[in-house]
Amino acid sequence: LFTVCLIFHLFCLAVCLQNFKKLEIGYVLFSILFPLLYSWIPFIHNSFGIAGAWCWIRDWKDDCATQKYLEGIIEQFVLWYGPLFISLTLSLIAVFIILI
């Protein structure tokens, strides 16, 4: 999220011709507090558990490899891939606008 804030700041400097120096504290707070906010969602749904090498949101019911845990799979995609693709898309659009 720090890179998204950096690209937003560069976009405001290059395209909008405004300097939002007063938002620098907001950038840091947003980049730290936003992930802390949505990292509690698996705790609320009791979805943390063994899920493999890279994720702690479980994708199997009761650690049984024959039953998929649909809520855990949805949380993995929504909490990781959703913000990732949204921030990547917005960053690419902003960079293309800055370069043009």
Side-chain angles (χ1 to χ4, degrees):
L1 288 176
F2 281 109
T3 57
V4 173
C5 292
L6 176 68
I7 290 174
F8 174 75
H9 194 76
L10 290 173
F11 178 80
C12 290
L13 284 172
V15 176
C16 301
L17 302 175
Q18 294 182 4
N19 189 359
F20 291 121
K21 199 162 187 79
K22 59 186 175 226
L23 290 179
E24 289 176 359
I25 299 289
Y27 296 155
V28 173
L29 291 176
F30 173 75
S31 297
I32 293 172
L33 295 179
F34 185 71
L36 285 177
L37 176 72
Y38 69 79
S39 67
W40 282 94
I41 293 173
F43 281 116
I44 294 170
H45 294 135
N46 196 20
S47 296
F48 276 118
I50 299 171
W54 65 275
C55 187
W56 285 101
I57 300 174
R58 61 189 168 112
D59 52 359
W60 304 103
K61 276 188 181 176
D62 301 324
D63 295 331
C64 178
T66 59
Q67 299 175 354
K68 285 282 196 181
Y69 184 57
L70 185 62
E71 186 176 338
I73 294 170
I74 291 171
E75 284 182 7
Q76 285 178 3
F77 279 95
V78 169
L79 295 177
W80 171 247
Y81 293 112
L84 175 73
F85 286 124
I86 289 170
S87 62
L88 180 66
T89 304
L90 291 176
S91 297
L92 285 173
I93 291 170
V95 166
F96 284 129
I97 291 173
I98 290 170
L99 292 176
I100 294 175

